[in-house]
Amino acid sequence: MDILNALVLFSNFVLIPGLAYGAQLALGALGVTLIYAVLRFSNFAHGDLMAFGTMATILVTWWFQSMGISFGVLPTALLALPFGIAIAAVMSLFMDRAVYSFYRKKRAAPVTFVIASVGVMFILNGVVRLIIGPDDQRFADGERFIVRARDFEAWSGLSEGLALRSTQAITLVVAILIVIALFWFLNRTRMGKAMRAYSDNEDLALLSGIDPARVVMVTWIIAAALATIAGVLYGLDKSFKPFTYFQLLLPIFAAAIVGGIGNPVGAIAGGFVIAFSEVTVTYAYKRFLGHLLPENLAPDGLVQLLSTDYKFAVSFVILVVVLLFRPTGLFRGKVI
């Protein structure tokens, strides 16, 4: 038995990627939850809003790089991120003014907003692919690794090397800072309290003098910021491809519903539940078990429950099970 090598291997391919992916899904699910809690509909365009904000960040990144501007060992995309957030926020406000505000004035049923958001989703998807193309775009520069596998092997004397990519560490640090800032905003600021009051009881909030137009505007801006940050972190960690962000809508919604849609804490927990479920089910355990079992019992096959091509199916199965047996989610969905 070689427990240390098994732990390093597990950390390398399950624990660290799961934490990074979970943080990305959590930020995406927070945006979905915020829109649902305040504006009371499920925004199916959120995945493509992530793609739009990421595309804007990539274009600004390329512009910075063409002028010789960089961020040292960190990706230049972090410098471009505020510009991407601003552009995504403008697009969100434009879509709200052009589409959603009409139905809000009519006090349309939530399902009408959902159908409208599907239309917005296809528009954003087409715009992104028209501007930047359908192919993979890699925009990560700076230092690639914090810990390299060969250096770790030489230092530790183990046969398995631990690798920690800079984008994984950036994802975790940025996600923690964003979550702290969001909860501080919702619980400490006047606008955050107004959003919570509007979410809890719209009519009573209006009688209290809360400006609904301002609440809606701030909600869209925060949702656009969360979507862009999640999309950029995902793109830096993996790559940017518009259709992949369309597919990400399923695990993001699954994370929001598993945690309890409308509950920010639930969205964060749901993100990590979905991420680790996908990673653990699609990981091939052959080498891992080879370190733990005697040589005569070591498996010959990959010991992989599902191919990585089917990782989004894991989100779907979890979503169905939760909707059947606990539709309120782990944290019982509620308003913010």
Side-chain angles (χ1 to χ4, degrees):
M1 292 181 65
D2 194 348
I3 295 176
L4 286 179
N5 275 310
L7 287 176
V8 170
L9 190 67
F10 187 81
S11 299
N12 218 13
F13 292 99
V14 177
L15 182 59
I16 295 175
L19 287 173
Y21 183 39
Q24 294 151 13
L25 291 184
L27 290 176
L30 276 172
V32 168
T33 279
L34 193 66
I35 293 295
Y36 181 85
V38 178
L39 303 183
R40 296 175 180 81
F41 77 95
S42 299
N43 182 23
F44 276 70
H46 195 75
D48 286 289
L49 180 60
M50 289 172 61
F52 183 86
T54 306
M55 176 201 69
T57 304
I58 292 173
L59 295 177
V60 176
T61 299
W62 289 345
W63 179 48
F64 281 174
Q65 290 172 340
S66 69
M67 295 190 298
I69 299 173
S70 69
F71 203 7
V73 297
L74 298 176
T76 308
L78 295 181
L79 287 177
L81 184 56
F83 296 91
I85 291 172
I87 295 170
V90 170
M91 175 57 77
S92 293
L93 294 174
F94 171 74
M95 287 297 183
D96 181 72
R97 179 65 63 89
V99 180
Y100 301 121
S101 64
F102 172 80
Y103 296 108
R104 209 162 39 244
K105 291 174 185 175
K106 298 276 187 182
R107 289 189 172 270
V111 67
T112 304
F113 284 90
V114 171
I115 295 170
S117 74
V118 172
V120 172
M121 174 186 72
F122 286 121
I123 291 171
L124 285 176
N125 188 275
V127 168
V128 171
R129 287 193 285 179
L130 181 66
I131 294 175
I132 203 169
D135 300 324
D136 278 339
Q137 304 286 350
R138 297 188 181 275
F139 58 105
D141 55 2
E143 188 64 36
R144 188 177 178 188
F145 288 96
I146 295 176
V147 178
R148 296 179 182 273
R150 289 182 180 178
D151 295 339
F152 185 85
E153 288 175 14
W155 171 79
S156 64
L158 298 175
S159 61
E160 297 290 348
L162 180 68
L164 176 62
R165 297 199 305 272
S166 58
T167 52
Q168 294 170 329
I170 289 170
T171 291
L172 293 173
V173 171
V174 171
I176 291 170
L177 293 176
I178 293 300
V179 167
I180 291 173
L182 178 64
F183 277 82
W184 175 84
F185 174 82
L186 292 174
N187 291 290
R188 300 291 182 180
T189 66
R190 186 173 181 179
M191 177 50 65
K193 293 176 181 177
M195 290 170 63
R196 294 173 62 197
Y198 186 86
S199 169
D200 186 43
N201 190 316
E202 181 180 349
D203 294 329
L204 186 59
L206 296 178
L207 289 174
S208 302
I210 292 173
D211 183 2
R214 187 173 175 82
V215 168
V216 170
M217 180 185 72
V218 173
T219 301
W220 278 115
I221 291 173
I222 295 175
L226 290 170
T228 303
I229 293 168
V232 169
L233 292 176
Y234 183 88
L236 285 172
D237 190 34
K238 297 170 179 67
S239 69
F240 173 80
K241 189 175 184 180
F243 193 71
T244 300
Y245 285 69
F246 174 80
Q247 294 176 315
L248 274 178
L249 187 65
L250 176 58
I252 285 172
F253 262 88
I257 293 171
V258 165
I261 192 163
N263 188 319
V265 175
I268 296 168
F272 287 101
V273 168
I274 295 296
F276 277 104
S277 298
E278 287 188 9
V279 173
T280 53
V281 169
T282 58
Y283 175 60
Y285 288 89
K286 179 180 178 179
R287 283 170 59 192
F288 177 76
L289 293 174
H291 287 300
L292 295 179
L293 298 175
E295 188 174 345
N296 61 326
L297 295 178
D300 294 324
L302 291 177
V303 195
Q304 186 179 25
L305 296 177
L306 274 180
S307 167
T308 53
D309 294 333
Y310 298 98
K311 68 176 184 177
F312 291 128
V314 178
S315 305
F316 179 75
V317 171
I318 294 173
L319 180 60
V320 170
V321 170
V322 169
L323 289 175
L324 286 175
F325 296 103
R326 193 179 175 87
T328 56
L330 298 175
F331 288 80
R332 297 191 179 274
K334 60 180 180 180
V335 295
I336 59 173

